[in-house]
Amino acid sequence: MSNAPLPSSFDGNYDFYEENRWQKFTRRLKEEPLIPLGCALTCWALLGATKSIRRGDHETTNRMFRARIYAQGFTLLCLVAGSYYYAEDRDKRKVFDGVKAEQRAKEKNEKWIRELEARDREDREERELRIRRLEKRTKSADEGKGDTSLGSVRSVLERSEVRRKGAVLTAVMELVKR
């Protein structure tokens, strides 16, 4: 059998494949396994110091506090070494995450523009439909002037009062020429 994943309906959904907290935690444990070990040693030393204080054993208490200091130093050393060792990988990951975020933002913007275009197209179609209906009603009203039913539409303006295209512009042009 092939190790390739089966096709899925989530193939285009990048949010589905992004790393969640548990995956990030396990990845970080695999990258730097000594840090959790140092934390566990520190906790063990503190627990041992607490038990020895309750028993009143001063020698064991001092030894456990020294072990705590050594464990914390070990953890700090692991942090610094891991930070130095994985710095290049983290820089690459930051660049990758930045590119990914930029790509998502671009896709979101494109979806938004497509949505606006679709809404604009719907508005234009609706406007054209209203204009066609109005023209149809005015034609039917002009043809049957005697029709006074509620569905008929008549113009309030006389034909001589109807605005012509560019009438204002031509009037202004005539005034400017004088």
Side-chain angles (χ1 to χ4, degrees), residues 1-176:
M1 284 190 86
S2 174
N3 289 337
L6 295 173
S8 170
S9 60
F10 294 104
D11 282 344
N13 187 357
Y14 298 111
D15 293 337
F16 181 77
Y17 288 106
E18 283 189 13
E19 189 175 51
N20 62 25
R21 289 181 180 163
W22 180 251
Q23 290 170 336
K24 183 176 181 178
F25 179 74
T26 55
R27 178 180 55 81
R28 295 298 297 257
L29 276 177
K30 290 175 186 175
E31 284 180 359
E32 301 180 52
L34 296 178
I35 292 173
L37 176 66
C39 291
L41 289 174
T42 303
C43 290
W44 172 76
L46 282 173
L47 183 65
T50 304
K51 286 181 181 180
S52 65
I53 287 174
R54 286 188 183 173
R55 283 192 314 246
D57 186 5
H58 298 292
E59 185 179 324
T60 307
T61 301
N62 284 335
R63 195 170 357 115
M64 285 296 162
F65 279 134
R66 285 189 204 112
R68 177 192 59 89
I69 291 170
Y70 296 143
Q72 284 178 329
F74 173 75
T75 306
L76 187 62
L77 181 67
C78 290
L79 279 170
V80 171
S83 174
Y84 179 72
Y85 184 76
Y86 288 108
E88 186 178 322
D89 290 341
R90 288 197 181 112
D91 289 341
K92 287 179 184 177
R93 186 163 195 80
K94 283 180 185 177
V95 169
F96 176 74
D97 289 342
V99 168
K100 219 174 180 183
E102 184 179 314
Q103 182 182 13
R104 272 184 276 159
K106 188 175 180 181
E107 288 173 0
K108 185 178 179 182
N109 189 23
E110 289 172 356
K111 286 179 183 178
W112 181 65
I113 289 173
R114 281 193 303 260
E115 177 69 23
L116 287 177
E117 288 173 348
R119 287 183 183 183
D120 186 45
R121 198 174 331 125
E122 289 173 1
D123 287 344
R124 268 190 267 120
E125 290 171 358
E126 184 67 30
R127 219 176 301 125
E128 289 172 1
L129 181 63
R130 274 189 266 136
I131 290 170
R132 275 189 260 130
R133 285 181 183 165
L134 184 62
E135 288 173 352
K136 189 176 181 181
R137 287 181 187 167
T138 55
K139 279 183 184 179
S140 64
D142 286 344
E143 291 171 356
K145 290 207 178 206
D147 187 17
T148 58
S149 65
L150 291 175
S152 67
V153 176
R154 282 189 257 152
S155 175
V156 177
L157 302 173
E158 295 292 326
R159 290 196 183 275
S160 62
E161 295 175 337
V162 176
R163 289 186 180 175
R164 294 180 304 268
K165 278 190 173 179
V168 175
L169 183 62
T170 55
V172 170
M173 295 290 275
E174 288 176 9
L175 286 174
V176 171

